[in-house]
Amino acid sequence: MSIIITRRALVLGAAATLAGCDRLASNATIRRALFSAENFHQWAQRSLMARNAMAREFHPDQISPIFRANGTANPNTPEYKALWRGGFADWRLRVTGLVDRPLSLSLAQFHAMPHREQITRHDCVEGWSAIGKWRGVPLSLILNAARMRDTARYIVLRCADDMGGGKAYYESIDMVDAFHPQTILAFALNDRPLSVANGAPLRLRVERQLGYKQAKYLMAIEAVNSLSQIGRGKGGFWEDHAGYDWYAGI
Ligand SMILES: Nc1nc2c(c(=O)[nH]1)N[C@H]1C(S)=C(S)[C@@H](COP(=O)(O)O)O[C@H]1N2
Ligand SMILES: [Mo]
């Protein structure tokens, strides 16, 4: 038996999937960008063609009682403290680099965009793991809204915490992971707003990768075509400073 899937069916299928889980974006520009047929097509195609299978998802009764914090537990910089004091109302995620429409997105805009929820296991190379329920916006939606250019090959994530000498934590992922359906920019853990310890106000969840790829305290994401100009060129803070593998697939 052969199954013929038309492009239109794919687009409609993607639309139905999204409509099932969401409230719509309140900002008209973002809504137009998110829901244009062209973007939907690219999103549907890239989502369905992703090389990676889905990471395992768990049941609510498997959620760890405590999701421990690791690495930075509070960025504690004057800038971050000011944002925290204001309830992150002045925080923005900047979307820059190889995009035709750079964005600056507030937390309220994230709350208004389509969400995904997933209960997954986080594995840290230091030898612990925890299961948590994450809620966030698919990174693919953000990249499509910013009209990412075809020349982009990686997404760099810029964080608020100073790792010493004024160098902020950073990470990067390729487009397979960036467009994977479980790759989200998460603002809630276990039905509560993300705590400072776990990365408030927004962090990456890239579920087929180890803990150090899950960048916390996001301030900007940047589409680039090479990692050679980022940090020392290995694509992430621990990759550059401790020889960790850039591809931390699990
Ligand atoms: N900005 C930032 N992101 C980060 C880190 C960090 O120190 N700073 N540590 C990483 C590591 S090694 C792990 S295991 C996870 C820990 O996430 P958690 O604190 O929510 O457990 O965050 C990752 N993302
Ligand atoms: Mo880690």
Side-chain angles (χ1 to χ4, degrees), residues 70-71 122-126 128 210-212 238 244:
N70 202 44
H122 174 109
D123 293 300
C124 172
V125 284
E126 291 168 40
W128 60 275
L210 288 167
Y212 59 90
W238 290 119
Y244 284 22

Side-chain angles (χ1 to χ4, degrees), residues 166-178:
K167 292 217 171 20
Y169 197 92
Y170 52 97
E171 257 303 339
S172 62
I173 57 176
D174 67 12
M175 291 307 163
V176 173
D177 272 326

Side-chain angles (χ1 to χ4, degrees), residues 15 49 67 120 123 126 143 187:
M49 283 172 48
F67 199 103
T120 53
D123 293 300
E126 291 168 40
L143 299 177
F187 51 77

